Amino acid sequence: MELSRLYAITDRKLIQSSLGEDIAAAVKGGAGLIQLREKNVTEDEYIAYAREALAVCRSLGARLIINDSVAVCAAAGADGVHLGQGDTDPKEARRILGGNAIIGVTAKTVEQAQRAETDGADYLGSGAVFGTSTKADAVKMDIETLREIVSSVSIPVYAIGGINAENISQLRGSGIYGAAVVSGIFKGDIEKNAARLKEEVELL
């Protein structure tokens, strides 16, 4: 399946207008893949946010990925789920969500990357390449490790962690498929940030 190379990940703390309006701005700027990341909410609240986000994505031709929760993804009818190393096994997620679901997995080592691919992941998220302010437990990943992960698998790898329009060019030559971006899109002018990043990601 063809995935957008620019992947926008929401953060409740960065919302400027409303969840739907901010997602719409990111999509209009060029992010064709949106991940809804919600922490400290009930499952019912998460499902409600997911349905709101999905309506926007459907209307603008983007795909919606749900962070961590297979149950929320299934209930909302989203396009897929992104799983951390401590979340649901990708094979179990596939069994629940079906063959058409997009399943992403966080991989910080070659071993994790290869296991995720074997278990049926459609893409990987690897980082944090420039550190990050949105995940307190994120450990910085050097570019050489990122290259090793990319070369060890045949599925797309998205770099994540502190990426913005100013530093993304440092990832050229790493072999990554695309960039997953949080504050680099959702802080400031969302549509303009996404448009600049889309131009840069095409040069990777």
Side-chain angles (χ1 to χ4, degrees):
M1 68 183 73
E2 186 72 23
L3 298 174
S4 169
R5 296 182 69 188
L6 182 59
Y7 188 176
I9 301 176
T10 68
D11 184 331
R12 178 66 44 183
K13 296 189 294 292
L14 297 176
I15 288 177
Q16 299 177 35
S17 300
S18 70
L19 176 66
E21 288 175 283
D22 286 9
I23 288 173
V27 175
K28 288 173 183 174
L33 200 57
I34 302 290
Q35 183 184 129
L36 181 67
R37 181 193 278 171
E38 293 288 347
K39 304 290 184 184
N40 306 313
V41 298
T42 67
E43 188 170 285
D44 285 346
E45 288 172 326
Y46 205 166
I47 291 167
Y49 291 139
R51 287 175 174 155
E52 178 186 356
L54 185 62
V56 173
C57 289
R58 287 278 185 272
S59 70
L60 296 172
R63 288 178 166 134
L64 180 68
I65 306 297
I66 303 299
N67 186 59
D68 289 350
S69 180
V70 173
V72 170
C73 178
D79 296 288
V81 68
H82 185 88
L83 304 169
Q85 286 295 313
D87 296 323
T88 307
D89 180 89
K91 289 182 283 192
E92 177 67 4
R94 176 70 67 200
R95 186 188 68 76
I96 295 167
L97 298 174
N100 292 327
I102 301 167
I103 295 178
V105 174
T106 297
K108 298 180 181 297
T109 67
V110 167
E111 182 185 41
Q112 289 177 354
Q114 292 177 331
R115 186 188 316 120
E117 182 175 32
T118 299
D119 288 348
D122 294 300
Y123 75 85
L124 303 176
S126 295
V129 290
F130 298 119
T132 177
S133 60
T134 62
K135 292 195 82 170
D137 60 346
V139 177
K140 195 170 185 298
M141 175 183 287
D142 61 65
I143 302 299
E144 188 53 44
T145 300
L146 181 63
R147 282 198 193 97
E148 289 171 3
I149 287 171
V150 170
S151 64
S152 74
V153 295
S154 59
I155 54 177
V157 177
Y158 289 88
I160 187 170
I163 299 169
N164 56 44
E166 283 68 48
N167 62 23
I168 189 173
S169 62
Q170 295 175 43
L171 299 174
R172 287 180 193 166
S174 63
I176 58 169
Y177 176 81
V181 184
V182 188
S183 56
I185 287 178
F186 289 105
K187 267 188 181 175
D189 188 321
I190 298 170
E191 187 171 348
K192 187 179 289 184
N193 289 341
R196 286 185 64 199
L197 278 158
K198 186 171 189 298
E199 286 180 8
E200 290 292 333
V201 85
E202 298 297 337
L203 301 173
L204 291 172

